[in-house]
Amino acid sequence: MFQKTIVLFLFINLQFSFAQQPEKPSAVEIYNQIQKLNFLGSVLYVAAHPDDENTRLISFLSNETKARTGYLSLTRGDGGQNLIGPQLRELLGVIRTQELLEARKVDGGEQFFSRANDFGYSKNPDETLEIWDKDKVLADVIWAVRKFQPDVIINRFDHRSPGTTHGHHTASAMLSVESFSLSNNPKIHPEQLKFVQTWQPKRQFFNASWWFYGSQEKFDAADKSKMIAIQTGVYYPEIGKSNQEIAALSRSRHQSQGFGSTGSRGVDTEYIELINGEKVNSSIFEGIDTTWNRIPNGKSIGIFINAIITRYDFTNPSASIADLVKAYQMIENLKEEHWKPLKLEALKKIISACSGLYLEASTAQQEMTPESLLQLHLEAINRTAVPMQLESVTTLPEQKKTLLNSTLDLNDSRKLDLKLQLPQDIKYTQPYWLEEEATVGMYAVSNQENIGVPDIIREVKVIFNVKINGVLIPFERTVIYKYNDPVKGEMYNYLDIVPEVTTSITEKVMLFTSEKTKTIAVKVKAGKDDLNGKVHLDVPKSWKVSPKEITFSLERKGMVQTAYFEVTPPENSEEAVIKSIAMVNGQVFDKEQTSIEYPHITKQQVLLPAEAKCIRMNLETSGTSVAYIMGAGDDVPESLEQMGYKVTILQPEEITRQRLENFDAVITGIRAYNTVQSLANKQSILFDFVKSGKNMIVQYNTAGQMVTDHIAPYTLKISTDRVTDENAKVTFIAPNHPVLNTPNKITAADFEGWTQEQGLYYPNVYDKAFTPIISAHDKGESAKEGALLIAPYGKGYYIYTGLSFFRELPAGVPGAFRLLANMIELKQTVQDQNKKSKN
């Protein structure tokens, strides 16, 4: 049974926070939550990506209006860039999903998604809706509307202006507008009606701003007679923050996009334009009953909660518990099925907060495998004089109830150790939208009820059944892994269910430039103790591997053993996907475990196929030493090493004339001149490096917010020009230039098989010293010639490229390797040619 312990609390105002820690609301926050109980109105904000949402408006609607406010982001931001690490595509989508969830914790909103895959920049909505599969994404928007039941929908973007912004942006607004009437039609997606009802929002708005008009001056002069002005510059004296400051904190959670935001104060106005539904004069909820009167038999509940609000004691929130429990009973007796569960869940949190009721289910293991026996440590403490009794706990997913009938006395911690048997068929912990095979434009989610769920779905939970004032209330807690860090103190992570064994091929892209055999390393990691099995490589018939399999034996969970295989490529050029597969007791394990850990988000486990790409290709290189200056983060250095170069990651403080003498070429990583402030003071050194006869390659940077205006020794202005169609035809403007001819002959075939985009942020103004090498364009647009610019400077060469090498090299695109090799070799190649011409 429970042990009785005396608990002493020391409250410390920490200067950092951790995403996984349990909420511990203050008396002011509790009061705001009680106020929100009496508002039964909802708003759904709709846009395309993480960071598209207007956090000022979401915060205002949630905290000032007290409305249930949701943000439907059609994508998880998988196609963008990453300023905090090397993760791209689906891994970046996992990060941005968590950043959105953290943002909503700050501004008070809720988060939702569709199955749309952010495939990268799109210049028009027609292309977007073709790649996304319009019917499926529209179905997801309708599903979100039916499930959330918003009274009001607000679109971030204008559905009437295709081609003026990102195609995803316009498409999100178009789909939202289309869903406005369809969501109430029972003939549209009737399969959804097993789980939800049809729903008709009252009205729909477009959230206009100066951005859509090109400048603040133009917006100030625009006709706003059809718009509603919302004064969002509210100051909350009880928490000492303005609405804009809350919104800035929310937006600053988007760290992977570099959207740290400074809070503002004072008057702030948002404008919304009615595009569908009933007309209004001032309030978006005008004519909509947002009280308990909208629910049959709900009027008395509203009156009762209002009395709780009036009598609330900020010095003693527990004085409200008896009435809150009675309100819980009143709502529980309702027959209504939408607001009832929402308000009951809100009441549970309020009651728990008012009483300081601390309920926790933890484990000393962060990872467990199916069928294993999990040791649980439960803690329950009631920090008020209100009588409470812990009647039982129910462990999930096994649905096992343990009777306790234990009294929870004031500040008396009750602890219990339980064992939970994990079932054989429990799902591994991972983002559910990555479990099934996706397309370029769509994630696959077979379970209708899971569509739109924002986070990982965790099955291992404990329900604490607590009787308060004679009313039994179930409090659900997800099992967490808790430990003490000697520097940071109490730390939290969630429990992850992992495979018995995972494998990973250490090099994700392997280049074979001859028929010579290469060694491929495979790491085998144990998910449990005493693990024995065999691992092998699955390769196409034209590739040879030895040995056929390797035995592994891992004594302890978490141990890693590396197996080495000799792989021989075919004689001719060929690309192959090889897979590492482990066998344990006849069971196949083919997943690689990837952990994503950043302090501002919850730790994430991602399980993807354990595979790598092998490329047999002709590639000429020399033993050039390359200095790589990291920018926002990419995997290009690993690819350079695969090409045979000696690569050194050079820190900005190491950029000295003496240090650079050891290198033949310098390459700056993506967005280096956007993110590395100290580069502004290193340009003269780098330019002298080029002048001395060396080679400098600068990869893409975004227009604006550069650390220096002089990123090149000549005039060079970055624009927003890009070629988003990775299959766009490439024309060689300077076909005889050495960069297209030596040491590797570059042809149109080298631009085949590129992924996501051809390039981005091309310069459109540059000195005549630069030679544009290639030209391409998206459908219906003029040619863009700034993808690859080369200029001699002194004895060396300065090269600027917007080509997306940071995507193509990790994806194993042969042509990208060949072209980059020519760029690196260019200095020496040109000098050799000059010598030959003199002879």
Side-chain angles (χ1 to χ4, degrees):
M1 293 301 289
F2 278 87
Q3 301 172 340
K4 291 188 176 183
T5 60
I6 299 175
V7 181
L8 183 64
F9 290 93
L10 177 64
F11 294 92
I12 303 175
N13 183 22
L14 297 177
Q15 296 302 308
F16 47 82
S17 63
F18 303 98
Q20 302 90 337
Q21 288 192 353
E23 296 179 3
K24 299 174 183 178
S26 66
V28 169
E29 291 170 322
I30 294 170
Y31 178 72
N32 290 334
Q33 291 173 13
I34 298 174
Q35 285 184 310
K36 207 164 185 175
L37 283 176
N38 250 6
F39 194 95
L40 279 70
S42 54
V43 183
L44 184 64
Y45 200 90
V46 181
H49 310 108
D51 85 354
D52 285 345
E53 80 274 29
N54 185 337
T55 53
R56 293 185 305 278
L57 195 51
I58 290 176
S59 175
F60 176 85
L61 292 168
S62 178
N63 298 305
E64 177 65 15
T65 308
K66 309 298 182 187
R68 184 187 181 209
T69 308
Y71 174 43
L72 173 59
S73 175
L74 296 195
T75 77
R76 296 176 184 266
D78 328 78
Q81 286 81 53
N82 184 359
L83 289 184
I84 60 174
Q87 297 88 356
L88 293 174
R89 290 300 302 141
E90 64 273 358
L91 297 184
L92 177 57
V94 171
I95 292 173
R96 292 191 171 177
T97 292
Q98 292 303 310
E99 289 177 337
L100 272 179
L101 291 170
E102 293 303 317
R104 298 294 80 78
K105 290 178 185 178
V106 174
D107 59 37
E110 299 177 47
Q111 187 60 51
F112 306 100
F113 295 96
S114 80
R115 289 171 292 176
N117 190 341
D118 180 1
F119 57 84
Y121 194 86
S122 178
K123 293 181 178 178
N124 64 77
D126 292 339
E127 177 196 47
T128 298
L129 294 174
E130 285 180 8
I131 297 176
W132 270 357
D133 190 334
K134 176 189 172 182
D135 291 340
K136 289 182 179 178
V137 184
L138 177 59
D140 291 356
V141 177
I142 292 170
W143 168 256
V145 171
R146 288 172 171 174
K147 194 173 182 180
F148 189 77
Q149 295 189 14
D151 297 304
V152 175
I153 294 176
I154 301 177
N155 296 336
R156 182 57 175 143
F157 300 102
D158 189 355
H159 64 289
R160 301 158 296 192
S161 56
T164 60
T165 181
H166 196 322
H168 296 185
H169 292 168
T170 310
S172 71
M174 293 169 64
L175 292 171
S176 179
V177 169
E178 194 168 348
S179 73
F180 185 79
S181 59
L182 296 180
S183 59
N184 198 36
N185 187 340
K187 294 182 180 179
I188 302 298
H189 296 292
E191 73 282 359
Q192 298 179 0
L193 302 182
K194 298 176 185 177
F195 313 103
V196 293
Q197 298 176 344
T198 58
W199 181 254
Q200 180 58 62
K202 295 296 188 298
R203 51 185 68 104
Q204 186 175 48
F205 297 92
F206 158 53
N207 183 194
S209 74
W210 69 264
W211 188 82
F212 297 97
Y213 288 77
S215 69
Q216 186 65 52
E217 291 75 17
K218 291 181 180 179
F219 186 56
D220 291 341
D223 178 13
K224 302 184 185 65
S225 60
K226 296 182 180 180
M227 300 182 190
I228 296 175
I230 302 177
Q231 302 303 324
T232 56
V234 180
Y235 174 65
Y236 302 106
E238 65 272 22
I239 60 173
K241 290 185 178 69
S242 68
N243 184 67
Q244 302 99 305
E245 287 172 319
I246 295 172
L249 291 171
S250 172
R251 190 160 184 79
S252 296
R253 294 301 187 267
H254 295 298
Q255 293 186 18
S256 67
Q257 302 184 72
F259 282 151
S261 181
T262 300
S264 61
R265 291 142 293 279
V267 176
D268 188 56
T269 307
E270 287 292 331
Y271 291 91
I272 56 175
E273 176 191 352
L274 183 69
I275 54 177
N276 265 317
E278 303 171 359
K279 293 182 180 180
V280 292
N281 295 315
S282 56
S283 169
I284 64 172
F285 287 106
E286 192 174 302
I288 301 172
D289 190 350
T290 59
T291 72
W292 281 94
N293 294 343
R294 74 185 297 173
I295 294 177
N297 302 315
K299 183 177 180 179
S300 59
I301 296 174
I303 295 172
F304 189 73
I305 292 175
N306 192 58
I308 298 174
I309 295 170
T310 302
R311 293 193 295 265
Y312 182 76
D313 184 352
F314 285 88
T315 64
N316 181 23
S318 65
S320 298
I321 292 176
D323 286 339
L324 289 167
V325 171
K326 185 175 180 180
Y328 182 91
Q329 281 184 293
M330 295 170 71
I331 296 174
E332 197 172 34
N333 290 330
L334 295 174
K335 294 182 179 179
E336 195 269 350
E337 295 300 326
H338 177 68
W339 285 106
K340 174 181 174 179
L342 295 172
K343 296 302 183 181
L344 285 177
E345 191 60 35
L347 263 170
K348 289 180 190 179
K349 293 179 180 179
I350 294 169
I351 293 168
S352 176
C354 283
S355 61
L357 180 61
Y358 189 84
L359 304 171
E360 182 178 86
S362 63
T363 175
Q365 302 292 327
Q366 209 252 306
E367 297 181 349
M368 296 294 289
T369 58
E371 291 190 277
S372 57
L373 192 63
L374 180 63
Q375 298 285 344
L376 284 180
H377 179 69
L378 308 185
E379 180 181 359
I381 181 169
N382 167 25
R383 288 174 280 192
T384 70
V386 177
M388 295 188 189
Q389 185 173 22
L390 181 58
E391 288 208 340
S392 64
V393 292
T394 304
T395 49
L396 304 177
E398 63 178 354
Q399 295 283 352
K400 180 181 177 181
K401 178 178 281 190
T402 302
L403 295 176
L404 299 170
N405 294 318
S406 179
T407 300
L408 298 179
D409 295 325
L410 171 63
N411 219 24
D412 189 6
S413 178
R414 303 286 180 159
K415 297 182 179 180
L416 172 68
D417 291 327
L418 283 180
K419 293 182 179 180
L420 190 161
Q421 181 67 53
L422 297 175
Q424 180 182 8
D425 60 352
I426 190 172
K427 285 192 173 184
Y428 300 135
T429 305
Q430 65 171 323
Y432 70 90
W433 59 93
L434 298 179
E435 291 179 4
E436 302 175 46
E437 187 174 355
T439 65
V440 172
M442 295 295 296
Y443 285 119
V445 181
S446 299
N447 187 335
Q448 177 67 51
E449 292 182 283
N450 288 349
I451 293 174
V453 173
D455 205 356
I456 286 174
I457 299 171
R458 300 180 185 273
E459 298 181 67
V460 186
K461 300 179 180 182
V462 173
I463 299 174
F464 293 80
N465 300 299
V466 181
K467 184 173 285 187
I468 306 174
N469 282 1
V471 178
L472 190 64
I473 302 177
F475 295 90
E476 183 179 277
R477 297 291 185 267
T478 301
V479 172
I480 53 98
Y481 162 61
K482 187 171 73 170
Y483 62 100
N484 184 72
D485 183 278
V487 175
K488 299 175 182 177
E490 188 177 56
M491 298 291 290
Y492 290 81
N493 272 314
Y494 287 111
L495 167 71
D496 287 337
I497 307 302
V498 303
E500 289 184 19
V501 59
T502 55
T503 65
S504 64
I505 303 172
T506 56
E507 299 289 347
K508 300 309 175 192
V509 175
M510 292 285 290
L511 297 183
F512 293 79
T513 58
S514 68
E515 295 179 60
K516 185 178 178 181
T517 296
K518 282 193 174 186
T519 301
I520 290 183
V522 177
K523 291 185 177 180
V524 183
K525 180 182 177 183
K528 66 176 187 178
D529 295 342
D530 300 320
L531 191 71
N532 298 285
K534 296 180 179 179
V535 61
H536 70 272
L537 287 181
D538 183 12
V539 302
K541 291 182 179 180
S542 54
W543 295 70
K544 307 301 180 185
V545 60
S546 177
K548 290 186 177 180
E549 60 184 22
I550 295 175
T551 299
F552 61 84
S553 180
L554 298 166
E555 183 180 353
R556 304 293 296 173
K557 178 171 70 174
M559 287 184 63
V560 175
Q561 178 179 326
T562 304
Y564 296 94
F565 295 89
E566 299 297 317
V567 175
T568 305
E571 180 180 353
N572 299 319
S573 297
E574 184 179 322
E575 297 178 31
V577 174
I578 63 172
K579 301 178 181 179
S580 57
I581 298 174
M583 299 289 294
V584 177
N585 297 326
Q587 189 174 356
V588 174
F589 295 91
D590 60 357
K591 299 297 183 185
E592 175 180 355
Q593 180 190 46
T594 298
S595 292
I596 301 176
E597 292 191 67
Y598 291 101
H600 68 299
I601 61 174
T602 299
K603 178 184 176 183
Q604 300 292 292
Q605 171 182 270
V606 181
L607 299 172
L608 295 174
E611 59 187 32
K613 189 173 184 179
C614 287
I615 307 170
R616 170 68 173 97
M617 62 179 292
N618 295 319
L619 178 69
E620 297 291 335
T621 62
S622 66
T624 303
S625 295
V626 175
Y628 199 91
I629 303 168
M630 295 298 294
D634 57 62
D635 287 329
V636 172
E638 289 86 343
S639 299
L640 292 171
E641 291 179 339
Q642 277 290 319
M643 296 166 71
Y645 294 113
K646 302 172 185 176
V647 182
T648 300
I649 303 295
L650 205 61
Q651 301 301 320
E653 60 271 18
E654 297 179 280
I655 302 175
T656 63
R657 288 177 173 82
Q658 184 177 6
R659 185 76 169 94
L660 291 182
E661 288 178 358
N662 301 317
F663 302 102
D664 301 302
V666 168
I667 302 177
T668 62
I670 62 172
R671 299 184 69 174
Y673 287 98
N674 297 126
T675 60
V676 185
Q677 186 65 44
S678 56
L679 276 180
N681 302 318
K682 300 294 184 178
Q683 290 302 86
S684 61
I685 298 173
L686 292 169
F687 294 160
D688 285 348
F689 170 80
V690 179
K691 188 182 291 186
S692 70
K694 303 297 180 71
N695 191 355
M696 181 177 180
I697 300 173
V698 176
Q699 296 183 83
Y700 98 93
N701 293 271
T702 59
Q705 297 183 334
M706 307 276 281
V707 301
T708 175
D709 293 331
H710 305 289
I711 65 171
Y714 306 106
T715 299
L716 185 76
K717 302 295 183 184
I718 310 300
S719 75
T720 57
D721 288 350
R722 62 174 76 205
V723 178
T724 62
D725 183 359
E726 62 270 30
N727 300 311
K729 180 182 177 181
V730 174
T731 300
F732 295 154
I733 304 173
N736 296 322
H737 195 285
V739 78
L740 295 178
N741 292 280
T742 55
N744 303 284
K745 179 65 176 177
I746 304 300
T747 69
D750 288 298
F751 287 91
E752 295 175 359
W754 284 48
T755 64
Q756 186 162 323
E757 65 207 350
Q758 204 172 89
L760 61 170
Y761 293 102
Y762 295 167
N764 64 350
V765 175
Y766 44 85
D767 192 272
K768 62 181 180 180
F770 285 102
T771 299
I773 304 299
I774 63 174
S775 171
H777 62 86
D778 286 323
K779 184 179 179 180
E781 293 193 356
S782 59
K784 304 295 185 291
E785 298 183 349
L788 180 57
L789 302 172
I790 302 177
Y793 185 68
K795 297 178 182 179
Y797 288 84
Y798 177 95
I799 304 171
Y800 187 92
T801 180
L803 293 172
S804 59
F805 287 109
F806 72 104
R807 295 194 190 281
E808 312 314 323
L809 298 178
V813 178
F817 286 99
R818 288 161 50 80
L819 179 57
L820 183 58
N822 283 13
M823 292 161 61
I824 294 172
E825 308 283 339
L826 178 61
K827 173 181 64 64
Q828 188 63 48
T829 299
V830 173
Q831 290 178 353
D832 288 347
Q833 286 199 342
N834 289 340
K835 289 178 182 178
K836 290 180 181 179
S837 63
K838 290 179 180 179
N839 293 334

